[in-house]
Amino acid sequence: MCGIWALFGSDDCLSVQCLSAMKIAHRGPDAFRFENVNGYTNCCFGFHRLAVVDPLFGMQPIRVKKYPYLWLCYNGEIYNHQKLQRHFEFEYQTKVDGEIILHLYDKGGIEQTVCMLDGVFAFILLDTANKKVFLGRDTYGVRPLFKAMTEDGFLAVCSEAKGLINLKHSTAPFLKVEPFLPGHYEVLDLKPNGKVASVEMVKYHHCRDEPLHATYDSVEKLFPGFELETVKSNLRMLFDNAIKKRLMTDRRIGCLLSGGLDSSLVAATLLKQLKEAQVRYPFQTFAIGMEDSPDLLAARKVANHIGSEHHEVLFNSEEGIQVLDEVIFSLETYDITTVRASVGMYLISKYIRKNTDSVVIFSGEGSDELTQGYIYFHKAPSPEKAGEESERLLKELYLFDVLRADRTTAAHGLELRVPFLDHRFCSYYLSLPPDLRIPKNGIEKHLLRETFEDSNLLPKEILWRPKEAFSDGITSVKNSWFRILQDYIEHQVSDAMMATAAEKFPFNTPKTKEGYYYRQIFERHYPGRADWLTHYWMPRVIYFQQYGDSSKNKNRAAI
């Protein structure tokens, strides 16, 4: 997890422009560098480093002797870099996983490169020999990337939007900043004056398709057919592999643990893998909640079962409310569900950074979308429609849950790893017959639970635990986080303010006082940038006619 930043064709003083790159310093607290591009005085790279792999030679932009014309700035982890290096017999100059991007690009071009990367990534690749700039982002947008581009060819790229909004350019007093789409790469021509022109934007991978890099994967060959026992065996094998490949780090590993199904499966499998790898430090798990919260009790039960060094973080309603401003600034969104669920994750990340040396943090994000964990899936008119909705949610993760997970951890210099969004695990799960994946017997994620039923990884009551969503599970049984927020905001936003909401916020007009309150904070930090959120998190209405407030129902989906 790092922060990347680059400018091409700037007509303002670079030393002034570079101040904007410091807005993402939290993403890389270990070191930073700014570097001009040879022969292009108005182009430069900025990099903030969190040293997770190869602490000695891992600074960026990466440049190697064999390719003096290539410049690479990337944020992410390429889990199969060593397999590809051995297979193609590439000669590495560093131990950095991202170096594989340079070798693959030289061998087969940009499309083959991005399709071969098993991992999460956002990158900027400059080829001065062929006068090209390439941008790319992983399938689900686990690693963030934003860009701004003007009609005259000025290009600015950054891990977070806050690193771009204050840039100056003569032809654009208000620079339009937008997220770079996940699962895409872009090709741009580099002109002699340092400016660029977009050539093509290409979608290189769909979540349903088995990735090209699967050919070079070391996982055992999957058993053919869709018999239940066959499917369960394949899922266990792929999930095990998804955890194992993510052990790639020189820093200490920990895990967020809510006591729900997803985080508990990750924690239990991760501890098993760490023992097999003979890692010597105690494995730390982290839970957060208010006094007597359901999540704390369930997480404690899981930690005792697997034998982790467990940390419990308590917070009260005042602390949660006070941190809302910081959370919205970090998130760069005003989506109601996302903000509400981010408070606990932000506070626990702050605790981890301050009180432990765990830096690489595993989590259960992505499972709800992949395995149909939200309760409105019970209302799907058919298994096929449920499958379509699952894919829609996966495509939008970069706007919601993946955004939350990245920003709340990155704000405190932590790197998040999400094994449920492993390319092969996801593509296989989505390839299964739709009727295998739907809720059964009134229970969401039935297939996932059934897959691990005989593994003894978790206590039965945890494996089949009904969901307490993060934003409700962390709070006291006496008073939910949702109710605490409503009671507080009722005194902050008047009925008169709501009456003029459409006039004040014509785009994505807030319909509730909670939404209005978050939007006010967002506009204070990012005025005029409401279009970063294309729409609020919302299930398809056809599935949801009997459930009311969508954000409350997401909070009651299965973990």
PDB file of all heavy atoms in Angstrom, residues 28-54:
ATOM      1  N   GLY A  28       1.965   6.362   2.535  1.00  0.00           N
ATOM      2  CA  GLY A  28       3.327   5.829   2.541  1.00  0.00           C
ATOM      3  C   GLY A  28       4.190   6.537   3.558  1.00  0.00           C
ATOM      4  O   GLY A  28       4.971   7.433   3.233  1.00  0.00           O
ATOM      5  N   PRO A  29       4.081   6.157   4.826  1.00  0.00           N
ATOM      6  CA  PRO A  29       4.790   6.877   5.888  1.00  0.00           C
ATOM      7  C   PRO A  29       6.283   6.568   5.988  1.00  0.00           C
ATOM      8  O   PRO A  29       6.989   7.220   6.737  1.00  0.00           O
ATOM      9  CB  PRO A  29       4.060   6.399   7.161  1.00  0.00           C
ATOM     10  CG  PRO A  29       3.529   5.048   6.813  1.00  0.00           C
ATOM     11  CD  PRO A  29       3.183   5.104   5.357  1.00  0.00           C
ATOM     12  N   ASP A  30       6.774   5.584   5.213  1.00  0.00           N
ATOM     13  CA  ASP A  30       8.170   5.165   5.376  1.00  0.00           C
ATOM     14  C   ASP A  30       9.167   6.007   4.581  1.00  0.00           C
ATOM     15  O   ASP A  30      10.313   6.176   4.994  1.00  0.00           O
ATOM     16  CB  ASP A  30       8.327   3.687   4.983  1.00  0.00           C
ATOM     17  CG  ASP A  30       7.573   2.768   5.933  1.00  0.00           C
ATOM     18  OD1 ASP A  30       7.369   3.165   7.094  1.00  0.00           O
ATOM     19  OD2 ASP A  30       7.178   1.670   5.510  1.00  0.00           O
ATOM     20  N   ALA A  31       8.769   6.503   3.417  1.00  0.00           N
ATOM     21  CA  ALA A  31       9.693   7.291   2.585  1.00  0.00           C
ATOM     22  C   ALA A  31       8.899   7.965   1.478  1.00  0.00           C
ATOM     23  O   ALA A  31       7.790   7.549   1.149  1.00  0.00           O
ATOM     24  CB  ALA A  31      10.775   6.387   1.981  1.00  0.00           C
ATOM     25  N   PHE A  32       9.483   9.022   0.875  1.00  0.00           N
ATOM     26  CA  PHE A  32       8.841   9.611  -0.300  1.00  0.00           C
ATOM     27  C   PHE A  32       9.899  10.141  -1.259  1.00  0.00           C
ATOM     28  O   PHE A  32      11.048  10.384  -0.886  1.00  0.00           O
ATOM     29  CB  PHE A  32       7.861  10.729   0.091  1.00  0.00           C
ATOM     30  CG  PHE A  32       8.512  11.998   0.574  1.00  0.00           C
ATOM     31  CD1 PHE A  32       8.820  13.026  -0.301  1.00  0.00           C
ATOM     32  CD2 PHE A  32       8.808  12.162   1.915  1.00  0.00           C
ATOM     33  CE1 PHE A  32       9.408  14.199   0.150  1.00  0.00           C
ATOM     34  CE2 PHE A  32       9.403  13.337   2.376  1.00  0.00           C
ATOM     35  CZ  PHE A  32       9.700  14.359   1.488  1.00  0.00           C
ATOM     36  N   ARG A  33       9.477  10.280  -2.526  1.00  0.00           N
ATOM     37  CA  ARG A  33      10.397  10.756  -3.563  1.00  0.00           C
ATOM     38  C   ARG A  33       9.607  11.487  -4.640  1.00  0.00           C
ATOM     39  O   ARG A  33       8.504  11.086  -4.998  1.00  0.00           O
ATOM     40  CB  ARG A  33      11.149   9.580  -4.191  1.00  0.00           C
ATOM     41  CG  ARG A  33      12.010   9.981  -5.400  1.00  0.00           C
ATOM     42  CD  ARG A  33      12.564   8.768  -6.142  1.00  0.00           C
ATOM     43  NE  ARG A  33      13.639   8.146  -5.385  1.00  0.00           N
ATOM     44  CZ  ARG A  33      14.216   7.003  -5.753  1.00  0.00           C
ATOM     45  NH1 ARG A  33      13.810   6.369  -6.836  1.00  0.00           N
ATOM     46  NH2 ARG A  33      15.202   6.493  -5.037  1.00  0.00           N
ATOM     47  N   PHE A  34      10.196  12.563  -5.164  1.00  0.00           N
ATOM     48  CA  PHE A  34       9.721  13.219  -6.373  1.00  0.00           C
ATOM     49  C   PHE A  34      10.815  13.112  -7.411  1.00  0.00           C
ATOM     50  O   PHE A  34      11.996  13.309  -7.097  1.00  0.00           O
ATOM     51  CB  PHE A  34       9.387  14.697  -6.119  1.00  0.00           C
ATOM     52  CG  PHE A  34       8.244  14.896  -5.164  1.00  0.00           C
ATOM     53  CD1 PHE A  34       8.455  15.427  -3.904  1.00  0.00           C
ATOM     54  CD2 PHE A  34       6.956  14.558  -5.530  1.00  0.00           C
ATOM     55  CE1 PHE A  34       7.409  15.604  -3.016  1.00  0.00           C
ATOM     56  CE2 PHE A  34       5.907  14.734  -4.654  1.00  0.00           C
ATOM     57  CZ  PHE A  34       6.128  15.269  -3.395  1.00  0.00           C
ATOM     58  N   GLU A  35      10.438  12.813  -8.653  1.00  0.00           N
ATOM     59  CA  GLU A  35      11.452  12.659  -9.694  1.00  0.00           C
ATOM     60  C   GLU A  35      10.931  13.197 -11.022  1.00  0.00           C
ATOM     61  O   GLU A  35       9.861  12.805 -11.483  1.00  0.00           O
ATOM     62  CB  GLU A  35      11.843  11.183  -9.837  1.00  0.00           C
ATOM     63  CG  GLU A  35      13.036  10.966 -10.736  1.00  0.00           C
ATOM     64  CD  GLU A  35      13.598   9.553 -10.637  1.00  0.00           C
ATOM     65  OE1 GLU A  35      13.341   8.879  -9.614  1.00  0.00           O
ATOM     66  OE2 GLU A  35      14.288   9.123 -11.576  1.00  0.00           O
ATOM     67  N   ASN A  36      11.704  14.105 -11.624  1.00  0.00           N
ATOM     68  CA  ASN A  36      11.361  14.619 -12.940  1.00  0.00           C
ATOM     69  C   ASN A  36      11.704  13.593 -14.008  1.00  0.00           C
ATOM     70  O   ASN A  36      12.617  12.783 -13.839  1.00  0.00           O
ATOM     71  CB  ASN A  36      12.108  15.921 -13.219  1.00  0.00           C
ATOM     72  CG  ASN A  36      11.508  17.093 -12.481  1.00  0.00           C
ATOM     73  OD1 ASN A  36      10.816  16.909 -11.480  1.00  0.00           O
ATOM     74  ND2 ASN A  36      11.777  18.296 -12.957  1.00  0.00           N
ATOM     75  N   VAL A  37      11.007  13.664 -15.126  1.00  0.00           N
ATOM     76  CA  VAL A  37      11.260  12.755 -16.242  1.00  0.00           C
ATOM     77  C   VAL A  37      12.303  13.379 -17.166  1.00  0.00           C
ATOM     78  O   VAL A  37      12.146  14.522 -17.611  1.00  0.00           O
ATOM     79  CB  VAL A  37       9.952  12.478 -17.020  1.00  0.00           C
ATOM     80  CG1 VAL A  37      10.234  11.582 -18.223  1.00  0.00           C
ATOM     81  CG2 VAL A  37       8.916  11.841 -16.102  1.00  0.00           C
ATOM     82  N   ASN A  38      13.355  12.629 -17.443  1.00  0.00           N
ATOM     83  CA  ASN A  38      14.423  13.123 -18.304  1.00  0.00           C
ATOM     84  C   ASN A  38      13.869  13.572 -19.659  1.00  0.00           C
ATOM     85  O   ASN A  38      13.170  12.822 -20.334  1.00  0.00           O
ATOM     86  CB  ASN A  38      15.480  12.027 -18.560  1.00  0.00           C
ATOM     87  CG  ASN A  38      16.128  11.559 -17.274  1.00  0.00           C
ATOM     88  OD1 ASN A  38      16.082  12.247 -16.258  1.00  0.00           O
ATOM     89  ND2 ASN A  38      16.741  10.384 -17.316  1.00  0.00           N
ATOM     90  N   GLY A  39      14.201  14.804 -20.046  1.00  0.00           N
ATOM     91  CA  GLY A  39      13.785  15.313 -21.345  1.00  0.00           C
ATOM     92  C   GLY A  39      12.403  15.945 -21.348  1.00  0.00           C
ATOM     93  O   GLY A  39      11.975  16.487 -22.374  1.00  0.00           O
ATOM     94  N   TYR A  40      11.706  15.862 -20.218  1.00  0.00           N
ATOM     95  CA  TYR A  40      10.364  16.441 -20.129  1.00  0.00           C
ATOM     96  C   TYR A  40      10.294  17.246 -18.832  1.00  0.00           C
ATOM     97  O   TYR A  40       9.981  16.717 -17.761  1.00  0.00           O
ATOM     98  CB  TYR A  40       9.289  15.353 -20.129  1.00  0.00           C
ATOM     99  CG  TYR A  40       9.215  14.567 -21.419  1.00  0.00           C
ATOM    100  CD1 TYR A  40       9.992  13.423 -21.592  1.00  0.00           C
ATOM    101  CD2 TYR A  40       8.381  14.979 -22.455  1.00  0.00           C
ATOM    102  CE1 TYR A  40       9.936  12.691 -22.771  1.00  0.00           C
ATOM    103  CE2 TYR A  40       8.315  14.259 -23.645  1.00  0.00           C
ATOM    104  CZ  TYR A  40       9.101  13.116 -23.792  1.00  0.00           C
ATOM    105  OH  TYR A  40       9.037  12.400 -24.977  1.00  0.00           O
ATOM    106  N   THR A  41      10.565  18.517 -18.934  1.00  0.00           N
ATOM    107  CA  THR A  41      10.683  19.343 -17.728  1.00  0.00           C
ATOM    108  C   THR A  41       9.344  19.580 -17.040  1.00  0.00           C
ATOM    109  O   THR A  41       9.311  20.018 -15.892  1.00  0.00           O
ATOM    110  CB  THR A  41      11.305  20.710 -18.072  1.00  0.00           C
ATOM    111  OG1 THR A  41      10.504  21.352 -19.082  1.00  0.00           O
ATOM    112  CG2 THR A  41      12.732  20.527 -18.596  1.00  0.00           C
ATOM    113  N   ASN A  42       8.246  19.297 -17.741  1.00  0.00           N
ATOM    114  CA  ASN A  42       6.922  19.520 -17.141  1.00  0.00           C
ATOM    115  C   ASN A  42       6.228  18.205 -16.769  1.00  0.00           C
ATOM    116  O   ASN A  42       5.014  18.154 -16.619  1.00  0.00           O
ATOM    117  CB  ASN A  42       6.034  20.338 -18.078  1.00  0.00           C
ATOM    118  CG  ASN A  42       5.857  19.674 -19.448  1.00  0.00           C
ATOM    119  OD1 ASN A  42       6.466  18.643 -19.726  1.00  0.00           O
ATOM    120  ND2 ASN A  42       5.031  20.278 -20.295  1.00  0.00           N
ATOM    121  N   CYS A  43       7.013  17.127 -16.627  1.00  0.00           N
ATOM    122  CA  CYS A  43       6.479  15.832 -16.221  1.00  0.00           C
ATOM    123  C   CYS A  43       7.231  15.336 -14.990  1.00  0.00           C
ATOM    124  O   CYS A  43       8.456  15.462 -14.916  1.00  0.00           O
ATOM    125  CB  CYS A  43       6.624  14.790 -17.339  1.00  0.00           C
ATOM    126  SG  CYS A  43       5.807  15.234 -18.884  1.00  0.00           S
ATOM    127  N   CYS A  44       6.505  14.750 -14.030  1.00  0.00           N
ATOM    128  CA  CYS A  44       7.178  14.229 -12.854  1.00  0.00           C
ATOM    129  C   CYS A  44       6.347  13.152 -12.179  1.00  0.00           C
ATOM    130  O   CYS A  44       5.135  13.040 -12.408  1.00  0.00           O
ATOM    131  CB  CYS A  44       7.508  15.342 -11.865  1.00  0.00           C
ATOM    132  SG  CYS A  44       6.083  16.034 -11.017  1.00  0.00           S
ATOM    133  N   PHE A  45       7.028  12.355 -11.361  1.00  0.00           N
ATOM    134  CA  PHE A  45       6.392  11.324 -10.547  1.00  0.00           C
ATOM    135  C   PHE A  45       6.561  11.674  -9.074  1.00  0.00           C
ATOM    136  O   PHE A  45       7.592  12.222  -8.666  1.00  0.00           O
ATOM    137  CB  PHE A  45       7.039   9.953 -10.786  1.00  0.00           C
ATOM    138  CG  PHE A  45       6.709   9.335 -12.106  1.00  0.00           C
ATOM    139  CD1 PHE A  45       7.530   9.541 -13.218  1.00  0.00           C
ATOM    140  CD2 PHE A  45       5.591   8.538 -12.252  1.00  0.00           C
ATOM    141  CE1 PHE A  45       7.237   8.951 -14.437  1.00  0.00           C
ATOM    142  CE2 PHE A  45       5.286   7.943 -13.456  1.00  0.00           C
ATOM    143  CZ  PHE A  45       6.110   8.147 -14.565  1.00  0.00           C
ATOM    144  N   GLY A  46       5.568  11.304  -8.280  1.00  0.00           N
ATOM    145  CA  GLY A  46       5.671  11.408  -6.825  1.00  0.00           C
ATOM    146  C   GLY A  46       5.292  10.074  -6.209  1.00  0.00           C
ATOM    147  O   GLY A  46       4.399   9.386  -6.715  1.00  0.00           O
ATOM    148  N   PHE A  47       5.977   9.718  -5.122  1.00  0.00           N
ATOM    149  CA  PHE A  47       5.731   8.397  -4.529  1.00  0.00           C
ATOM    150  C   PHE A  47       5.894   8.453  -3.021  1.00  0.00           C
ATOM    151  O   PHE A  47       6.896   8.951  -2.504  1.00  0.00           O
ATOM    152  CB  PHE A  47       6.717   7.383  -5.123  1.00  0.00           C
ATOM    153  CG  PHE A  47       6.585   5.994  -4.562  1.00  0.00           C
ATOM    154  CD1 PHE A  47       5.445   5.242  -4.785  1.00  0.00           C
ATOM    155  CD2 PHE A  47       7.605   5.440  -3.803  1.00  0.00           C
ATOM    156  CE1 PHE A  47       5.321   3.963  -4.268  1.00  0.00           C
ATOM    157  CE2 PHE A  47       7.497   4.155  -3.286  1.00  0.00           C
ATOM    158  CZ  PHE A  47       6.351   3.417  -3.522  1.00  0.00           C
ATOM    159  N   HIS A  48       4.884   7.956  -2.303  1.00  0.00           N
ATOM    160  CA  HIS A  48       4.948   7.795  -0.850  1.00  0.00           C
ATOM    161  C   HIS A  48       4.944   6.299  -0.565  1.00  0.00           C
ATOM    162  O   HIS A  48       4.017   5.586  -0.963  1.00  0.00           O
ATOM    163  CB  HIS A  48       3.745   8.460  -0.177  1.00  0.00           C
ATOM    164  CG  HIS A  48       3.740   9.951  -0.313  1.00  0.00           C
ATOM    165  ND1 HIS A  48       4.448  10.782   0.522  1.00  0.00           N
ATOM    166  CD2 HIS A  48       3.119  10.759  -1.211  1.00  0.00           C
ATOM    167  CE1 HIS A  48       4.259  12.032   0.169  1.00  0.00           C
ATOM    168  NE2 HIS A  48       3.452  12.056  -0.882  1.00  0.00           N
ATOM    169  N   ARG A  49       5.941   5.827   0.158  1.00  0.00           N
ATOM    170  CA  ARG A  49       6.144   4.398   0.295  1.00  0.00           C
ATOM    171  C   ARG A  49       5.790   3.840   1.662  1.00  0.00           C
ATOM    172  O   ARG A  49       6.201   4.390   2.687  1.00  0.00           O
ATOM    173  CB  ARG A  49       7.604   4.036  -0.012  1.00  0.00           C
ATOM    174  CG  ARG A  49       7.777   2.515  -0.035  1.00  0.00           C
ATOM    175  CD  ARG A  49       9.173   2.069  -0.350  1.00  0.00           C
ATOM    176  NE  ARG A  49       9.167   0.631  -0.562  1.00  0.00           N
ATOM    177  CZ  ARG A  49      10.168  -0.176  -0.308  1.00  0.00           C
ATOM    178  NH1 ARG A  49      11.301   0.308   0.142  1.00  0.00           N
ATOM    179  NH2 ARG A  49      10.069  -1.478  -0.523  1.00  0.00           N
ATOM    180  N   LEU A  50       5.027   2.747   1.652  1.00  0.00           N
ATOM    181  CA  LEU A  50       4.907   1.868   2.800  1.00  0.00           C
ATOM    182  C   LEU A  50       5.705   0.624   2.441  1.00  0.00           C
ATOM    183  O   LEU A  50       5.336  -0.119   1.535  1.00  0.00           O
ATOM    184  CB  LEU A  50       3.446   1.493   3.071  1.00  0.00           C
ATOM    185  CG  LEU A  50       3.213   0.545   4.252  1.00  0.00           C
ATOM    186  CD1 LEU A  50       3.563   1.228   5.564  1.00  0.00           C
ATOM    187  CD2 LEU A  50       1.776   0.054   4.285  1.00  0.00           C
ATOM    188  N   ALA A  51       6.833   0.414   3.118  1.00  0.00           N
ATOM    189  CA  ALA A  51       7.769  -0.649   2.747  1.00  0.00           C
ATOM    190  C   ALA A  51       7.243  -1.993   3.224  1.00  0.00           C
ATOM    191  O   ALA A  51       7.371  -2.345   4.388  1.00  0.00           O
ATOM    192  CB  ALA A  51       9.146  -0.363   3.334  1.00  0.00           C
ATOM    193  N   VAL A  52       6.645  -2.740   2.305  1.00  0.00           N
ATOM    194  CA  VAL A  52       6.074  -4.044   2.626  1.00  0.00           C
ATOM    195  C   VAL A  52       6.907  -5.173   2.016  1.00  0.00           C
ATOM    196  O   VAL A  52       7.048  -6.234   2.595  1.00  0.00           O
ATOM    197  CB  VAL A  52       4.606  -4.111   2.128  1.00  0.00           C
ATOM    198  CG1 VAL A  52       4.062  -5.517   2.225  1.00  0.00           C
ATOM    199  CG2 VAL A  52       3.741  -3.155   2.936  1.00  0.00           C
ATOM    200  N   VAL A  53       7.467  -4.933   0.821  1.00  0.00           N
ATOM    201  CA  VAL A  53       8.319  -5.905   0.142  1.00  0.00           C
ATOM    202  C   VAL A  53       9.608  -5.204  -0.295  1.00  0.00           C
ATOM    203  O   VAL A  53       9.566  -4.076  -0.796  1.00  0.00           O
ATOM    204  CB  VAL A  53       7.603  -6.506  -1.093  1.00  0.00           C
ATOM    205  CG1 VAL A  53       8.531  -7.432  -1.862  1.00  0.00           C
ATOM    206  CG2 VAL A  53       6.347  -7.258  -0.666  1.00  0.00           C
ATOM    207  N   ASP A  54      10.753  -5.864  -0.109  1.00  0.00           N
ATOM    208  CA  ASP A  54      12.074  -5.353  -0.495  1.00  0.00           C
ATOM    209  C   ASP A  54      12.321  -3.939   0.041  1.00  0.00           C
ATOM    210  O   ASP A  54      12.300  -2.952  -0.712  1.00  0.00           O
ATOM    211  CB  ASP A  54      12.242  -5.359  -2.018  1.00  0.00           C
ATOM    212  CG  ASP A  54      13.699  -5.126  -2.426  1.00  0.00           C
ATOM    213  OD1 ASP A  54      14.557  -4.958  -1.543  1.00  0.00           O
ATOM    214  OD2 ASP A  54      13.977  -5.097  -3.639  1.00  0.00           O
TER     215      ASP A  54
END
